[in-house]
DNA sequence: TTGCGTGCAAAGGTTTTGCATGGCA
DNA sequence: TGCCATGCAAAACCTTTGCACGCAA
């Protein structure tokens, strides 16, 4: 799905996500937020826009708790985020950006030994971060 | 939830899962399989038993980012079988199960050098598989 | 016999889809 | 003006829950 026209809802959704970097939101939470501002945005619109943002690499989608609704988080659209790796803490929700030789090694290994061309930008490592383990 | 009685459905479900190691199944697929054998097992029963198997560590549950239904996979109760990884091909949709020293190395690295306790079962590597790259 | 597990159906919740309308270009 | 995006409602899905019945121990 590609955007042809730029709309007010689009801008407001993106603005909201950008203003809360590092936070993750469900579609319902986003709808509620705008409702509190007396701005109604249809649920379908929220899902459709989020899907586009994800395609563009500006937003990342997570499924944290099994069965719960999906979470969305602004990660910016720059190459910066496609070249490094993301760890998501399942306890505090923090998204950790990591640039590490070990992971680059893995990328090479997957490609050369398994023929798998890894899309780093879409992959999220789930786990528990150092702070939450203490 | 704990099992008190041992039932036929329980045994048949576990037998089916064990007979397909390395394969992933949705609840619907499992139901369909038994239907083809003219054995009816209620959807609720399937979910309830799967939940128990997961609690026991015999089966692993995982979700893909697509928000599809949950997948279940027999991993046995032993340590050796819990340490494998999932690669998802974005083109053909195939889920690849990989057991590889390199990935185990990464697990150790993340823990020891970054303090990150990786939940392998929840992580899926996205990319393009060897067959689709040709 | 006791009470847990099962199957059915209905409920609950999230996400998608169809369609008429409104708004961007 | 021509389409696309929106909003609403309904549909489509997946999963859970309530309840009466059957079966294991």
């Amino acid at each position: 799905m590609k955007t042809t026209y730029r709309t007010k809802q689009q801008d407001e959704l993106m603005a909201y996500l950008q203003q809360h970097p590092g936070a993750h939101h469900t579609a319902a939470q986003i709808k509620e937020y705008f409702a509190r501002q007396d701005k109604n945005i249809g649920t379908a619109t929220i899902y459709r826009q989020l899907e586009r943002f994800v395609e563009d690499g500006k937003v990342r989608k997570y499924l944290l708790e099994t069965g719960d609704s999906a979470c969305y988080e602004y990660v910016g659209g720059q190459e910066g985020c496609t070249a490094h790796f993301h760890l998501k803490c399942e306890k505090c929700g923090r998204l950790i950006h990591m640039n590490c030789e070990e992971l680059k090694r893995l990328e090479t290994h997957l490609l050369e030994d398994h023929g798998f061309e890894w899309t780093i930008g879409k992959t999220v490592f789930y786990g528990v971060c150092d702070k939450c383990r203490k």
Side-chain angles (χ1 to χ4, degrees), chain A:
Chain A
M1 202 185 341
K2 208 183 123 196
T3 310
T4 304
Y5 299 144
R6 186 168 171 186
T7 64
K8 202 184 69 174
Q9 289 89 336
Q10 237 170 77
D11 290 343
E12 291 190 325
L13 271 171
M14 181 50 78
Y16 170 67
L17 292 171
Q18 287 181 338
Q19 283 159 21
H20 298 80
H24 57 273
H25 321 267
T26 63
Q29 286 169 342
I30 294 171
K31 185 165 175 57
E32 207 179 317
Y33 169 82
F34 284 103
R36 280 197 300 273
Q37 318 262 319
D38 286 317
K39 291 174 185 167
N40 177 51
I41 300 189
T43 305
T45 298
I46 293 175
Y47 278 108
R48 284 186 283 232
Q49 286 302 337
L50 286 174
E51 187 187 336
R52 286 173 172 168
F53 294 159
V54 170
E55 272 180 22
D56 291 347
K58 291 176 187 150
V59 164
R60 192 146 297 172
K61 177 181 179 179
Y62 306 93
L63 296 172
L64 293 181
E65 312 265 331
T66 58
D68 272 357
S69 42
C71 290
Y72 298 85
E73 173 179 353
Y74 179 74
V75 292
Q78 282 34 289
E79 301 75 39
C81 269
T82 62
H84 67 250
F85 306 86
H86 294 100
L87 314 182
K88 182 77 176 178
C89 178
E90 302 183 82
K91 287 204 176 167
C92 66
R94 190 162 61 107
L95 185 72
I96 302 158
H97 304 256
M98 182 188 294
N99 212 331
C100 169
E101 278 307 314
E102 195 72 21
L103 286 163
K104 284 182 186 165
R105 260 187 56 135
L106 176 63
E107 184 184 8
T108 306
H109 169 74
L110 286 176
L111 185 60
E112 293 185 353
D113 297 341
H114 298 277
F116 188 82
E117 192 178 340
W118 184 15
T119 308
I120 295 170
K122 276 203 180 178
T123 303
V124 178
F125 289 78
Y126 292 93
V128 182
C129 73
D130 53 346
K131 289 176 185 165
C132 288
R133 285 181 50 238
K134 284 167 191 167

